[in-house]
Amino acid sequence: MIKIEHLSFSFPQKELFHDISFSLDGNQHCAFIGTSGSGKSTLADMILHPDLALYDGKIDAPPTEQIGYVSQFSNLTSNTDLTVYEFIAERFISIQNEITSICEALETASEIDSLLETYQDRLDAFEAIGGDSYDSLIKKKLGLASLDQHANLPIQKLSGGEFKLVQVIKEMLTAPSYMIMDEPDVFLDFENLNALKNLINSYQGILLVITHNRYLLSHCFNKIIHLENKELQEYDGTFVNYNFTLLQSKIELQELAFADAEEIRRNEAVIDRLRAVASNNAEAARGKTLNARVKLLERLEARKIKEPFVYSKHPNIALPTIQAPLQGWILKLADYYAAFETVLLQHIDLELQAGEKVALIGANGTGKTTMLRDLYQNKLTSISYSPESKTAYLSQSQSEVLNESNTIFDEFFELKFQTYQEIIDYLANYGFEEASCKQVIKDLSGGEKNMLQLAKISCQDANFLLLDEPTSHLDTYSQKALEDAIKSYRGTVLMISHDFYMIANCMDYVLIIEDCSVRKMSIRKFRKMIYANHFDRDYLDLEDKKKAAEAKIEAALLANNFTLAKALSEELEPIIALLS
């Protein structure tokens, strides 16, 4: 079991969580969700290394060596010549070699008691990680991840997404009871994301996964832990059902809050009248009545509903305003070529029209990021822009765009802002409070850094956005806000993404990279491809219907029409059942 009791923790700039408790046991597969910067990665680090932090409360977890861990920022080192199989089997092979060495030493040793003790210790360690069947287990996991053909490939030849899957397999095999994974899905292509889903669902043990990926959230987990506004909520069930439960709670609580507000306003009006009378009349009875009303108002204020999971801070992303949209072409590629050790792209001829919103997709390692970076740097003769074009760039390598030694204030003083207050007011739309603006950028979460990139883009006068995995690390609130911003943006967008929902909801068409070339695909064909390989039939259509129903409920709540909101919620319920 992993058990957290009454845990509180804070940094100098902000409190992350206050008096939170939860537990994981059995074979629970838990999604750990919450807004960017709410403390999810910090809490995972505290579970792994409870002795390295000062906190109030209790963390009861197994020793670090018994917990498998996959970091969101793990990278392949360049100093290994292991094959994929050898990399995964490294710990098994190491213990096997120790056992062999002990056996050889026993043949000639005069004093064998200590050697026999060590021998038994290594045998126990080998058995504890399932060593007797490690060969078949590795082959099974590689097959599940569609990487069986890569078993003898040097690990250096893997793409970033493939290496992430290999890391997951390695940790799953050597820590069979407990696993913590921090955004293992970031930058995975469609096939690798599907493989990760299969690995997660095959795992037998306690699993805690920090993720914002809507595909994994909808297909992998039987428990939700939601960290929001310093508080935590547990839910035993699927993410889809959890969201529906939250929506029902929101309807109920907002109705109660509205009634409370009406009662408070009514009592404030009564108190105002009593004060006016009391100022002209010194009768003791009138003074008592006024005091009683004031105390009643204080009780009403004190009992006001507080619900951190329903009333979350949604960012307000506003991409650059385009007063006069361009006409005609905005970008041309003529015989574009890109290589990195091997040829990635060649003989690429392409023309984008102003105002088009285009997704650039393809397997990990096919040259998408290289191409987008070349477009932004614009140093090649094969690249031509319209004279009126003005580009802005969001990089998946965040330090390309952000100076990580700056504070947030420093970063935005370098732009158009003149005062601290201007920066504070502007960044409030992106979820940054005044205190957090003093933080150094390198200390921010991955999601916060991406929100900063979006905030920088939004205050530029750009009519052509080059976005490399903009939803990576973003929480689900921010993903939805970015979708809405892209839909309303009147400029041109070329976006690398592996987010099914973002592409299906926002893009005009898809450019898919295959065999060093680029071909155009309609959104209709893209949907069919996704259905065939990743979703049950009509899944995305059901998602669209769910979103439309939720939007109607939100509109009803804004109008304080709680009767309509409840009726719409009942209509939404059968759609939720189909998605569950």
Side-chain angles (χ1 to χ4, degrees):
M1 175 181 284
I2 294 174
K3 191 172 185 179
I4 307 296
E5 294 182 299
H6 305 295
L7 185 67
S8 298
F9 179 75
S10 62
F11 288 131
Q13 290 90 355
K14 66 177 179 179
E15 184 179 21
L16 284 184
F17 24 84
H18 177 74
D19 195 28
I20 64 171
S21 301
F22 70 90
S23 63
L24 296 172
D25 55 18
N27 287 322
Q28 287 183 319
H29 288 185
C30 177
F32 191 10
I33 65 173
T35 52
S36 299
S38 58
K40 302 181 296 299
S41 295
T42 299
L43 184 54
D45 288 341
M46 291 171 69
I47 292 172
L48 288 165
H49 308 290
D51 296 334
L52 299 182
L54 295 174
Y55 56 86
D56 294 324
K58 182 179 179 183
I59 299 175
D60 186 6
T64 301
E65 59 268 18
Q66 294 179 23
I67 303 178
Y69 176 63
V70 178
S71 167
Q72 62 175 303
F73 299 119
S74 52
N75 293 307
L76 177 62
T77 57
S78 58
N79 58 353
T80 180
D81 56 359
L82 298 175
T83 66
V84 169
Y85 182 91
E86 290 167 342
F87 178 79
I88 296 172
E90 199 169 9
R91 187 176 176 191
F92 298 101
I93 293 171
S94 175
I95 297 176
Q96 269 188 329
N97 290 339
E98 289 181 59
I99 292 170
T100 301
S101 296
I102 294 168
C103 289
E104 291 173 353
L106 282 168
E107 292 177 2
T108 57
S110 57
E111 176 56 57
I112 65 171
D113 287 348
S114 62
L115 283 173
L116 285 174
E117 186 176 337
T118 305
Y119 176 74
Q120 188 60 52
D121 176 72
R122 294 293 79 200
L123 279 180
D124 291 343
F126 193 63
E127 183 180 351
I129 61 174
D132 292 338
S133 56
Y134 81 84
D135 181 69
S136 61
L137 285 172
I138 290 174
K139 290 175 181 176
K140 182 179 178 181
K141 292 291 186 185
L142 284 172
L144 199 62
S146 301
L147 293 174
D148 43 332
Q149 72 276 18
H150 291 344
N152 297 315
L153 189 73
I155 194 127
Q156 295 289 348
K157 297 293 184 181
L158 294 181
S159 70
E162 289 168 338
F163 177 63
K164 178 70 76 173
L165 292 178
V166 167
Q167 281 186 298
V168 170
I169 292 171
K170 183 174 184 175
E171 291 298 311
M172 282 185 170
L173 289 176
T174 54
S177 298
Y178 307 89
M179 277 282 292
I180 295 175
M181 296 196 282
D182 193 350
E183 298 197 46
D185 49 89
V186 171
F187 308 134
L188 293 189
D189 63 35
F190 298 133
E191 296 304 324
N192 288 336
L193 185 62
N194 206 45
L196 177 60
K197 180 199 76 172
N198 293 336
L199 289 171
I200 288 174
N201 288 338
S202 72
Y203 181 67
Q204 300 295 312
I206 294 175
L207 187 62
L208 181 65
V209 181
I210 299 171
T211 184
H212 306 300
N213 186 280
R214 291 174 281 188
Y215 179 58
L216 294 183
L217 285 170
S218 297
H219 289 81
C220 292
F221 303 102
N222 56 21
K223 179 167 184 170
I224 307 297
I225 292 178
H226 188 171
L227 183 61
E228 197 80 49
N229 299 341
K230 307 172 193 175
E231 299 184 24
L232 183 142
Q233 181 164 286
E234 287 183 90
Y235 180 82
D236 290 322
T238 66
F239 178 71
V240 171
N241 285 327
Y242 174 63
N243 269 347
F244 184 58
T245 300
L246 276 187
L247 185 61
Q248 291 176 312
S249 298
K250 183 171 185 175
I251 294 169
E252 178 183 347
L253 291 171
Q254 197 159 320
E255 184 175 17
L256 290 172
F258 180 76
D260 277 354
E262 287 292 300
E263 181 69 8
I264 287 169
R265 280 194 292 270
R266 192 177 69 80
N267 275 276
E268 286 174 339
V270 171
I271 288 169
D272 287 343
R273 288 197 300 271
L274 288 172
R275 280 189 175 135
V277 171
S279 64
N280 297 317
N281 193 321
E283 289 181 24
R286 295 186 183 278
K288 290 180 180 178
T289 303
L290 175 59
N291 289 335
R293 280 287 180 175
V294 169
K295 289 180 179 178
L296 173 60
L297 181 61
E298 289 172 353
R299 290 197 297 272
L300 288 171
E301 291 280 3
R303 79 168 197 192
K304 278 200 303 188
I305 292 169
K306 179 176 177 291
E307 179 46 68
F309 306 100
V310 173
Y311 301 105
S312 301
K313 294 178 181 176
H314 293 204
N316 179 24
I317 299 172
L319 295 175
T321 301
I322 309 297
Q323 299 296 343
L326 297 183
Q327 302 296 319
W329 68 273
I330 193 169
L331 170 69
K332 289 181 181 179
L333 298 184
D335 199 25
Y336 171 76
Y337 172 89
F340 183 74
E341 294 184 351
T342 60
V343 174
L344 297 174
L345 294 161
Q346 59 183 346
H347 309 308
I348 305 300
D349 296 310
L350 181 66
E351 183 173 306
L352 261 61
Q353 299 299 306
E356 288 184 330
K357 294 167 184 175
V358 182
L360 182 62
I361 69 171
N364 291 128
T366 53
K368 301 182 300 296
T369 292
T370 299
M371 179 177 172
L372 212 67
R373 187 176 287 119
D374 282 345
L375 292 177
Y376 178 63
Q377 294 174 347
N378 192 21
K379 296 178 180 178
L380 303 176
T381 57
S382 56
I383 300 171
S384 301
Y385 282 101
S386 163
E388 294 83 15
S389 66
K390 298 176 183 177
T391 60
Y393 178 51
L394 182 145
S395 173
Q396 64 169 266
S397 177
Q398 294 160 329
S399 58
E400 263 191 290
V401 174
L402 302 172
N403 183 343
E404 298 206 334
S405 62
N406 274 346
T407 66
I408 295 175
F409 274 133
D410 295 336
E411 191 79 3
F412 281 81
F413 264 128
E414 295 174 1
L415 299 173
K416 65 179 183 180
F417 300 97
Q418 302 298 316
T419 67
Y420 282 121
Q421 194 58 50
E422 285 182 27
I423 296 173
I424 291 166
D425 293 343
Y426 178 72
L427 289 178
N429 293 315
Y430 294 83
F432 293 96
E433 297 176 353
E434 181 175 356
S436 64
C437 291
K438 300 174 184 177
Q439 285 184 276
V440 177
I441 290 173
K442 68 178 177 62
D443 295 331
L444 300 178
S445 71
E448 288 174 313
K449 289 177 184 177
N450 257 20
M451 286 301 288
L452 268 193
Q453 287 199 79
L454 288 168
K456 286 189 72 173
I457 285 173
S458 297
C459 65
Q460 298 176 45
D461 182 22
N463 54 20
F464 190 1
L465 306 184
L466 302 169
L467 308 178
D468 192 352
E469 298 279 10
T471 59
S472 65
H473 306 294
L474 291 188
D475 60 62
T476 51
Y477 307 126
S478 302
Q479 290 173 29
K480 180 63 171 63
L482 180 57
E483 276 186 22
D484 293 340
I486 288 177
K487 285 177 184 176
S488 61
Y489 179 60
R490 300 176 72 193
T492 309
V493 176
L494 181 60
M495 177 181 74
I496 297 172
S497 181
H498 300 301
D499 187 320
F500 309 108
Y501 308 90
M502 179 72 76
I503 294 172
N505 291 334
C506 299
M507 298 292 106
D508 297 323
Y509 61 88
V510 167
L511 294 174
I512 183 167
I513 297 178
E514 293 175 328
D515 301 323
C516 301
S517 63
V518 175
R519 66 183 175 90
K520 188 175 180 178
M521 177 186 289
S522 69
I523 291 298
R524 182 169 171 270
K525 286 187 177 179
F526 172 77
R527 281 174 171 259
K528 283 188 175 181
M529 180 185 76
I530 295 303
Y531 289 148
N533 297 321
H534 303 285
F535 289 116
D536 296 333
R537 185 175 177 271
D538 297 332
Y539 184 87
L540 287 176
D541 289 333
L542 285 170
E543 273 285 333
D544 289 343
K545 290 178 181 177
K546 178 173 80 75
K547 285 183 179 179
E550 288 170 346
K552 289 180 182 177
I553 292 171
E554 289 289 343
L557 289 175
L558 285 172
N560 296 320
N561 190 340
F562 304 109
T563 301
L564 177 59
K566 291 173 186 176
L568 290 168
S569 175
E570 291 176 2
E571 293 177 12
L572 176 60
E573 193 162 4
I575 298 174
I576 297 298
L578 290 171
L579 287 167
S580 299

